[in-house]
Amino acid sequence: MDHDGTHHLTATIAASVDLPSTLDGGQSFRWWGEAGGFRGVIGRRAYLIKSAVDAIVVDSVDGSPIRPNDVAAIERYLALDYDLKGFASRFAKDRGLGPALSAWPGIRILRQDPWECLVAFICSSCSNIPRIKLNVGSLATTYGDKVGPGARDHAFPNAVRLASAGELALRGLGLGFRARYVAAAAEAVSEGRLDLESLYALPYEEARDRLISLDGIGEKVADCALAFAFDKREAFPIDRWVRRALIEWYGAPERLSPEKVASWARERFGTDGAYVQQYLFHRQRLSARLPTRA
DNA sequence: TGGAAGCCTGGTGT
DNA sequence: AACACCAGGCTTC
């Protein structure tokens, strides 16, 4: 507990979270390393979050006090209510997940804003993390309200805002062919053809079908949004990395198409899917970067 | 119903 | 430094 005599500025949340892997590990593209922690915006508030022993410390970026509703927002965003320890003990001896769970015990699946998350993963199509961060950052700084003193302290623009920007302007920001899809999604949401809030209450398959009905949203993008924003833990996004992991460690048939591998994995892992996927992704991605392979 | 080409443009490696 | 080649996918043919 910090106390400087006059104001209570920061908040300490007792939870062990692997911040780099969670905030900068491919789920969200809105966090930037700063001062040994991460700086980013949740909703309309900019935060600086750092790791401590079995805890995270939350600070504002402008000296304003962190209040109980800030803490609630961060706990919700990090989905600290999920029983990660239970998941870890269920898979402790698992061939693919065991090593990943002991190497990175604190990776969380985020509960992001649905619209922001959906747009980010539309932008992820045929791209890479630095570029996705660039694109999403450009959208925020260009069209989102400024919510802090830093250049990147911008809220993510809502659908109405992006719809009025239009495809051409989004292309101008460097989104490339994804601009058309972001613009189309923005129109669908702002015109009420797609009600994102209503997807929370729908079963996984139905929510997924609703998302896929939009142009530029296929299985992978839909599953990412469902897992990282809509709390659908049976979503199992399959990309190159995860596909390779499923083949290498679980004997998934090598010739199966990505869609078939996805349903194979959903059947096998059920509501553990999202966390399984994230741990496999992390392990596969980081081990591929090691200079030597075991 | 399966498979391959094309899409924008910044990142990555040489 | 410049220049290929490629990328966490989707649509179309």
Side-chain angles (χ1 to χ4, degrees):
Chain A
M1 299 270 189
D2 298 60
H3 206 277
D4 65 1
T6 49
H7 297 295
H8 219 62
L9 293 177
T10 66
T12 300
I13 301 174
S16 99
V17 180
D18 180 343
L19 291 179
S21 305
T22 301
L23 296 179
D24 206 19
Q27 294 186 65
S28 171
F29 306 92
R30 295 270 282 146
W31 294 90
W32 302 84
E34 182 179 309
F38 286 87
R39 181 173 182 149
V41 174
I42 298 173
R44 301 188 57 81
R45 272 279 266 172
Y47 298 103
L48 189 55
I49 306 180
K50 293 182 189 178
S51 297
V53 180
D54 292 323
I56 55 174
V57 178
V58 180
D59 201 351
S60 66
V61 297
D62 56 8
S64 63
I66 296 298
R67 298 202 168 86
N69 61 323
D70 291 311
V71 173
I74 285 158
E75 287 174 341
R76 176 181 160 72
Y77 184 85
L78 294 173
L80 296 182
D81 52 302
Y82 177 72
D83 180 17
L84 183 56
K85 290 225 166 74
F87 172 82
S89 59
R90 280 204 299 291
F91 286 93
K93 304 218 162 135
D94 185 88
R95 178 156 175 254
L97 288 169
L101 282 160
S102 32
W104 305 284
I107 303 180
R108 296 274 164 180
I109 300 277
L110 298 173
R111 197 182 280 127
Q112 301 178 69
D113 173 75
W115 170 244
E116 175 176 331
C117 185
L118 186 63
V119 172
F121 281 97
I122 292 174
C123 289
S124 78
S125 180
C126 208
S127 189
N128 50 61
I129 289 177
R131 187 177 177 195
I132 301 164
K133 286 177 85 160
L134 181 76
N135 290 162
V136 173
S138 302
L139 290 173
T141 53
T142 307
Y143 299 107
D145 295 335
K146 192 167 169 58
V147 295
R152 294 197 186 102
D153 299 332
H154 285 255
F156 194 78
N158 65 24
V160 174
R161 204 76 176 272
L162 290 187
S164 68
E167 178 188 339
L168 228 55
L170 300 184
R171 273 185 184 262
L173 287 184
L175 300 208
F177 62 84
R178 306 157 198 86
R180 179 161 77 88
Y181 303 140
V182 171
E187 283 164 29
V189 170
S190 60
E191 290 167 8
R193 278 180 285 125
L194 176 65
D195 178 10
L196 291 177
E197 290 302 316
S198 73
L199 299 189
Y200 281 103
L202 293 181
Y204 163 72
E205 288 82 3
E206 290 177 37
R208 187 155 159 271
D209 289 345
R210 296 284 297 122
L211 290 176
I212 289 178
S213 71
L214 288 188
D215 244 20
I217 301 179
E219 282 205 10
K220 165 67 166 56
V221 170
D223 272 345
C224 285
L226 291 170
F228 306 144
F230 289 98
D231 222 354
K232 303 292 188 204
R233 292 203 300 271
E234 56 269 71
F236 204 107
I238 299 276
D239 59 26
R240 295 167 160 72
W241 302 103
V242 172
R243 182 156 184 257
R244 202 177 312 160
L246 288 171
I247 292 166
E248 197 172 327
W249 296 315
Y250 299 93
E254 221 163 316
R255 43 187 18 201
L256 252 44
S257 66
E259 301 80 48
K260 292 274 174 59
V261 179
S263 60
W264 182 91
R266 277 199 302 277
E267 199 146 311
R268 177 169 184 138
F269 295 108
T271 53
D272 286 319
Y275 277 85
V276 169
Q277 178 275 157
Q278 195 58 20
Y279 269 95
L280 292 181
F281 172 69
H282 204 75
R283 179 179 176 187
Q284 194 71 7
R285 181 165 156 258
L286 292 196
S287 65
R289 291 193 176 176
L290 297 178
T292 55
R293 308 211 39 147

